[in-house]
């Protein structure tokens, strides 16, 4: 019996990037479209995302705010692309928290 230890997942920064930090890495930014009555004007919703080595959103988790904004924010963020974070010259996956706002 042979045992091999593999690290199949390498991580970037230990803490999630802030909204401001993540938006600096974002391209192809698509804002959510909020139908009338989704939530009051000025409402915010936070969503935590995981970004893979290629800059694609691979996971989103609802945070704080009106739940009526959750799916709209998540669907829009799946269209975003992010620049990689490099560690020793290699792209690493990372996490971030994005804030969605209703104007």
């Amino acid at each position: 019996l042979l045992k091999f230890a593999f690290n199949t997942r390498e991580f970037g920064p230990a803490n999630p990037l802030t909204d401001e930090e993540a938006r600096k890495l974002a391209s192809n930014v698509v804002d959510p479209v909020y139908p009338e009555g989704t939530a009051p004007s000025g409402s915010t919703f936070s969503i935590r995302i995981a970004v893979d080595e290629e800059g694609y959103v691979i996971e989103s988790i609802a945070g704080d705010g009106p739940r009526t904004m959750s799916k709209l924010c998540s669907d829009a963020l799946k269209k975003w692309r992010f620049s990689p974070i490099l560690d020793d010259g290699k792209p690493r996956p990372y996490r971030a928290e994005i804030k969605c706002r209703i104007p």
Side-chain angles (χ1 to χ4, degrees):
L1 179 67
L2 297 174
K3 290 186 179 183
F4 296 95
F6 290 101
N7 182 1
T8 60
R9 188 160 182 203
E10 304 248 357
F11 295 96
N15 295 316
L17 300 181
T18 64
D19 181 67
E20 184 178 324
E21 293 168 328
R23 286 178 183 272
K24 287 179 183 176
L25 295 172
S27 63
N28 194 45
V29 175
V30 176
D31 290 324
V33 175
Y34 302 107
E36 186 72 32
T38 299
S41 179
S43 295
T44 61
F45 183 79
S46 66
I47 190 160
R48 294 186 274 299
I49 60 169
V51 178
D52 71 7
E53 298 92 345
E54 296 176 2
Y56 292 96
V57 176
I58 57 172
E59 180 180 39
S60 63
I61 300 170
D64 297 329
R67 293 291 171 220
T68 53
M69 295 173 66
S70 177
K71 182 165 175 24
L72 300 169
C73 292
S74 180
D75 289 347
L77 284 169
K78 288 177 185 172
K79 297 174 185 172
W80 290 26
R81 294 297 170 259
F82 291 87
S83 298
I85 289 181
L86 300 177
D87 181 26
D88 291 330
K90 296 178 188 174
R92 300 284 187 224
Y94 54 94
R95 298 169 293 136
E97 184 168 0
I98 304 289
K99 304 265 187 212
C100 297
R101 292 175 182 83
I102 294 181

